[in-house]
Amino acid sequence: MTPGPVTQTAFPGPARWPGLDELQVLRDGPHEFLLELSRRYGHAVRYPIGPFRFYQFTHPDAVQQVLVTDQTAYDKDTFQYRLLSEITGDGLLTMDVAADMMHVALQAVVKTLFGAEVGDRASALWRATLDVLHHLMFRARTFGIVPRWLPTRRNRRFRASLGVLDETIYGTIHERRQADGLTAGETPDLLQRLMDARHEEMGEGLTDRQLRDEMITLLIAGHETVASALTWTWYLLATHPESDARLHHEISRVLDGALPTVDDLDQLTYTGAAFHEAMRLYPPAWVITRRARAEQEVQGFRVPRGALVVMSPYVTHRHPHFWDDPDAFRPERFLEGASDGRHRYAYFPFGGGPHLCIGNHFALVEAALIIPTVIQRYRLEPVEESSVVVDPGVTLQPKGGLPMHVRPR
């Protein structure tokens, strides 16, 4: 798209450069910082950081324009995605419930991607994955000040953990090539499907490096996001016993003690609604960034060429013009008919447009099977006097984990 002349509209935002105290708030609680900016300045905000500025848009119309309508006018050449590409390359992100959800989600995605071949290495994969994600968030919060080549303890641990991921993935690819694919009767996993894929015109398959990039992208994104959303689902159900009781009643009625299958999902409507409402309040991908390829106009505001455009599902999902009592947990918002008339991009936990999360359906099905499996047998209760603080990492996680009591039903 070739932009035409843009009418200048005064951009809301602070008139001064932020002080060190404000930058510390941005570093430690960026999700709440972005929410406060929208409450203070409205739908569009220009905010300065040193010699740079970012432009935040929270109205669903703006989100749709940037992600869908004018998506070719923006790219993902931003600090956020450059950091992630250090790990993923060029691919298409008492009991401690947070840790357990991370583990069960990783087991599910590993089984889907690699079959059973890396089952005995799942624990090492899990630790390595967490290490590289924590390193990624550290670099984001410190604006990449520490060079990657500097032999700090963090950098050395990151390289070692990334080496574990590479060794496992490349090793599995090599073993599969040596065996010339799966044996007769085995169901192809995602790795095999990618290895079997061929270019329509050239007939070429993916290289080992391309396979590695795709698999590590799906590994990273396919379990961290689901684990985050499930963790907050358990927290919200535990702190809203009336919703927990309604959910348990639905699951008991539909399943009658049996394990859930995909065929049951159409009847588990409140289960799906509870998961969607958890993602509304605590969207795993809580911030999305784009870079303007050329000067653009968004809702009457001029966005200069090369500008960083910020959209936050965490903020838009709490927009009072589109959500009644936006901070309340109400799964009923996502039952049939309740969303009639709601703007398509008032809720976008998986992004939108051509960069819509490739694993969105996988995540929804996975959650819809895990929740009933646990709910039928256990009730998760919050630990007394425990306060939950949101840690805005690659995804939103409870800081220090989420300890909960597990009670048999």
Side-chain angles (χ1 to χ4, degrees), residues 281-308:
L281 289 171
Y282 299 100
W286 58 274
V287 64
I288 297 172
T289 58
R290 293 289 187 270
R291 183 183 70 94
R293 297 179 185 270
E295 183 178 285
Q296 300 296 321
E297 181 177 4
V298 181
Q299 291 195 301
F301 295 100
R302 184 182 69 84
V303 177
R305 178 179 180 271
L308 176 66

Side-chain angles (χ1 to χ4, degrees), residues 56-255:
Q56 173 175 281
F57 293 96
T58 58
H59 195 283
D61 284 344
V63 174
Q64 183 172 10
Q65 181 180 340
V66 174
L67 295 184
V68 184
T69 310
D70 295 341
Q71 55 88 15
T72 58
Y74 301 87
D75 59 39
K76 298 172 72 174
D77 186 18
T78 66
F79 183 66
Q80 175 195 19
Y81 290 105
R82 286 196 298 270
L83 280 178
L84 188 58
S85 67
E86 293 178 15
I87 302 170
T88 62
D90 294 323
L92 290 175
L93 266 156
T94 49
M95 163 185 175
D96 185 352
V97 170
D100 286 342
M101 290 303 101
M102 194 74 76
H103 209 158
V104 72
L106 180 61
Q107 287 179 321
V109 76
V110 164
K111 177 70 173 177
T112 303
L113 299 183
F114 304 103
E117 293 181 42
V118 294
D120 58 341
R121 289 171 278 181
S123 294
L125 270 177
W126 178 59
R127 289 192 298 270
T129 301
L130 289 181
D131 282 345
V132 296
L133 288 171
H134 289 161
H135 178 82
L136 179 70
M137 200 58 228
F138 170 77
R139 283 182 52 77
R141 287 181 173 176
T142 57
F143 304 103
I145 292 175
V146 179
R148 287 179 294 171
W149 52 262
L150 202 64
T152 64
R153 182 177 60 85
R154 283 182 180 274
N155 281 345
R156 292 197 305 270
R157 182 169 182 175
F158 166 71
R159 285 193 290 269
S161 297
L162 190 57
V164 171
L165 296 180
D166 282 342
E167 181 182 2
T168 301
I169 293 173
Y170 277 125
T172 305
I173 292 170
H174 178 72
E175 291 170 6
R176 192 71 63 84
R177 290 202 191 280
Q178 290 292 105
D180 196 23
L182 301 174
T183 59
E186 287 186 286
T187 302
D189 51 30
L190 186 55
L191 173 60
Q192 191 60 49
R193 293 180 185 276
L194 288 174
M195 293 179 72
D196 292 340
R198 293 293 181 270
H199 191 280
E200 290 184 2
E201 297 179 359
M202 306 298 293
E204 297 176 349
L206 297 176
T207 66
D208 286 1
R209 175 68 195 197
Q210 289 171 324
L211 287 169
R212 176 267 184 201
D213 289 351
E214 296 298 339
M215 298 306 285
I216 204 169
T217 297
L218 294 168
L219 178 65
I220 295 289
H223 87 278
E224 169 85 359
T225 52
V226 176
S228 169
L230 283 171
T231 296
W232 293 113
T233 301
W234 299 127
Y235 168 72
L236 290 165
L237 289 173
T239 53
H240 295 80
E242 69 289 348
S243 295
D244 179 79
R246 180 172 177 179
L247 183 61
H248 182 253
H249 175 74
E250 175 185 84
I251 291 169
S252 298
R253 174 180 56 80
V254 173
L255 300 179

Side-chain angles (χ1 to χ4, degrees), residues 311-356:
M311 297 152 289
S312 173
Y314 183 85
V315 177
T316 301
H317 291 182
R318 285 172 165 76
H319 201 303
H321 290 180
F322 301 94
W323 302 98
D324 180 44
D325 197 6
D327 292 326
F329 176 66
R330 295 179 181 171
E332 294 77 13
R333 303 179 201 267
F334 290 94
L335 294 178
E336 185 177 0
S339 61
D340 292 348
R342 184 185 302 153
H343 196 294
R344 164 66 181 82
Y345 283 90
Y347 175 71
F348 59 113
F350 297 108
H355 295 291
L356 180 72

